[in-house]
Amino acid sequence: MNETQPVMAEDTLLASLGRTAAGAAGFADWTFNLVLLACALLLGVLLCVALRIAVPCTVRRRNATLGTALTTMCCWPLAFAVPLVVALVVSASFVRPSAAWMQQTVAVFAIVALTFVGWRAVAVVGVWTRSRFDITVPNNLNARVMHTRFALLALLVRTLIVIVAIGAVLLTFNAAWQFGASLLASAGVLALVVGMAANPVLSNLIAAVQIALTQPIRIDDVVVIAGEWGRIEEFTMTYVVVRIWDQRRLVVPFSKFISEPFANWTRTSAEILGTVFMHVGYNAPLAVLRDEFKLALDESKLWDGRVQCLQVFDCHADRMEVRFLMSAADGPTAWDLRCYVRERMITFLANHYPHTLPRMRVEMRERLEPLGTATGATTAAAT
C-alpha cells in the first residue's frame, strides 16, 4: 500500500505536467496563428494601399471616367478582399489544432469579399460602357447595341458570380461534400421536379440568352407590343421593362419577344416616315395644297429633309382622301411633325378654301310650298 501511493502520485504529476504542456503548446499554436494572420492582414492592407494609389492614377491618365469609377466603386471592396486573400494564402502555414477552423473562416470571408469585388467590377465596366457609347446622340444605333449587349451579359455574369460564390462557400464545409454525393444520387428525380417547377423561369432565361445573341430588341428601341407604343428601358433576368409614352411601365417576359410578333421601329435606324390623311372635296386645288405642304415642311425643324409627298389616296362618292407623307429623324419627332402638318393644312383650307372642306350635299327634286300656303290650302280643301 505504501509502495503504490508514490507511484500513483507520480502518475498524477506526470499527467498534470502533460496537460500543462499540451495547454502551453495549444496556446503557442493559437498565438502563432493569430500573429501570422495579423501579419498577413497587415501585408494585405499595405498591398491594397499601393494598388489604391497606383491603379486609379494609371487608369485616370487614359480614361478619367474609368479611373473615377474604380476609385469610387472598387476601393472599399478591395480594402477587404486583398488582405483576406493574402491571409488565405498564408493560412496554409497555420499549425494545428486551430488551423482548420481558422482557414475555413478566412476562406469564407475571402470568397464573400471577392464576390463583392466581382459585382462592383461589373458595375465599373457598365460605367465605362455608358461613357464610351453615348445613347443620347441622334444616331445611336451602335451605342444601343453595346448597351443591350452589356446589360444582358452583366446579368448573366452577376448570376454566375453569385452561384459560384455560394458553391465555393458550401464546399468549405465537409458536410457539403456528403450532401453533394446524396444529391447526385437523386439527381434524375430532382432535375425532373425542378425542371417542371421552373419551366417559365428557364424559358425566360433561355430567351434572354437568345436576345443577347440575336438582339431583336435593344436598349432605347422604340417598340409596339401588346398594343402599346414605348421604349425599351431596362433588362432584368426574366423580363423587359418598356417605358410607354404616357410614363407607364409595361413589364414583358423575354419569352414574349421570342414567341410573339411585335413592331420594332428602330431595328436598323431611328428614321421613320409619318403620314397625315385628310378628306377634302373634289374641287380642292391639289397643286396649291402641294405648295403649302412643302412650305410647311421647309419652315419646320422637325422635318429631316428626306421625304415629302402628297397623293390622292382614295376616292369616295362625295369626297377624296389625300395623304401627306413626310420623314423624320425618329418616332417622337415624326409624331410632332404629323400633328403640326395636320393643324397647318386644316387652318390653310379653312382660311383660303373653305368650300373645299367635306360637306353633306342634298338635292331637292320637288319644290316645297311655304308653310303658310300649305296650311291655307288644307283649310280650303276641308271647307
Side-chain angles (χ1 to χ4, degrees):
M1 186 70 178
N2 294 333
E3 294 179 357
T4 58
Q5 287 181 352
V7 174
M8 294 177 61
E10 182 178 356
D11 292 341
T12 303
L13 180 61
L14 290 175
S16 177
L17 291 175
R19 287 193 297 269
T20 303
F27 178 77
D29 293 344
W30 271 86
T31 304
F32 176 78
N33 291 340
L34 290 176
V35 171
L36 191 61
L37 179 61
C39 293
L41 292 175
L42 180 61
L43 178 62
V45 170
L46 295 177
L47 181 60
C48 180
V49 171
L51 292 174
R52 169 71 176 78
I53 297 174
V55 174
C57 293
T58 304
V59 175
R60 194 177 287 113
R61 294 171 185 171
R62 298 184 178 181
N63 192 317
T65 304
L66 184 59
T68 304
L70 283 173
T71 304
T72 56
M73 295 184 178
C74 293
C75 179
W76 285 108
L78 287 174
F80 289 97
V82 174
L84 288 171
V85 170
V86 175
L88 182 62
V89 175
V90 176
S91 65
S93 303
F94 286 171
V95 296
R96 301 287 178 180
S98 61
W101 74 267
M102 291 185 69
Q103 288 178 348
Q104 185 178 8
T105 303
V106 173
V108 170
F109 280 102
I111 291 171
V112 173
L114 288 175
T115 302
F116 192 31
V117 170
W119 191 279
R120 302 298 286 177
V122 174
V124 171
V125 176
V127 172
W128 176 83
T129 302
R130 288 188 292 271
S131 64
R132 177 68 176 80
F133 302 96
D134 188 7
I135 203 171
T136 61
V137 298
N139 188 10
N140 60 356
L141 178 60
N142 187 39
R144 290 188 288 109
V145 170
M146 298 306 299
H147 279 239
T148 303
R149 187 171 298 168
F150 169 77
L152 294 174
L153 291 180
L155 291 173
L156 297 176
V157 170
R158 281 177 169 172
T159 303
L160 184 62
I161 288 174
V162 173
I163 293 175
V164 171
I166 294 175
V169 170
L170 291 177
L171 290 179
T172 59
F173 299 92
N174 293 329
W177 293 92
Q178 301 175 0
F179 175 74
S182 62
L183 187 64
L184 288 175
S186 58
V189 178
L190 183 64
L192 180 61
V193 174
V194 172
M196 293 178 62
N199 183 38
V201 177
L202 294 177
S203 63
N204 282 312
L205 289 176
I206 296 174
V209 175
Q210 289 179 293
I211 290 177
L213 295 176
T214 60
Q215 293 194 356
I217 55 174
R218 307 181 183 92
I219 293 291
D220 205 46
D221 263 349
V222 177
V223 297
V224 179
I225 186 168
E228 298 287 355
W229 182 98
R231 289 182 178 272
I232 303 297
E233 183 179 47
E234 181 186 358
F235 289 107
T236 66
M237 282 303 299
T238 56
Y239 61 85
V240 180
V241 178
V242 181
R243 185 180 72 251
I244 305 176
W245 65 272
D246 57 2
Q247 298 185 355
R248 290 179 296 155
R249 299 299 188 271
L250 183 65
V251 178
V252 185
F254 274 117
S255 57
K256 192 176 183 67
F257 286 98
I258 297 298
S259 60
E260 298 183 11
F262 65 95
N264 188 339
W265 289 14
T266 55
R267 178 69 178 86
T268 57
S269 174
E271 297 174 342
I272 195 171
L273 298 180
T275 57
V276 171
F277 293 93
M278 288 186 63
H279 295 273
V280 296
Y282 283 101
N283 57 346
L286 296 179
V288 178
L289 288 180
R290 284 192 177 90
D291 295 338
E292 181 63 20
F293 175 50
K294 185 177 184 305
L295 179 62
L297 293 180
D298 292 336
E299 294 177 355
S300 174
K301 296 181 180 179
L302 303 174
W303 184 49
D304 62 359
R306 291 186 301 115
V307 177
Q308 63 96 14
C309 179
L310 186 150
Q311 295 173 320
V312 176
F313 182 74
D314 197 3
C315 292
H316 303 274
D318 56 347
R319 67 193 183 278
M320 59 182 175
E321 189 173 359
V322 179
R323 183 184 70 174
F324 300 88
L325 184 64
M326 66 216 80
S327 59
D330 51 46
T333 305
W335 174 266
D336 294 337
L337 181 60
R338 290 170 59 196
C339 295
Y340 163 75
V341 169
R342 188 180 295 111
E343 295 173 4
R344 176 75 174 258
M345 300 310 297
I346 291 176
T347 304
F348 176 76
L349 287 177
N351 292 337
H352 298 85
Y353 300 94
H355 58 280
T356 63
L357 294 175
R359 296 182 179 183
M360 180 66 70
R361 292 178 172 86
V362 178
E363 182 179 357
M364 306 300 296
R365 295 186 176 275
E366 296 181 0
R367 181 179 178 85
L368 294 179
E369 297 294 337
L371 183 59
T373 304
T375 304
T378 305
T379 304
T383 303

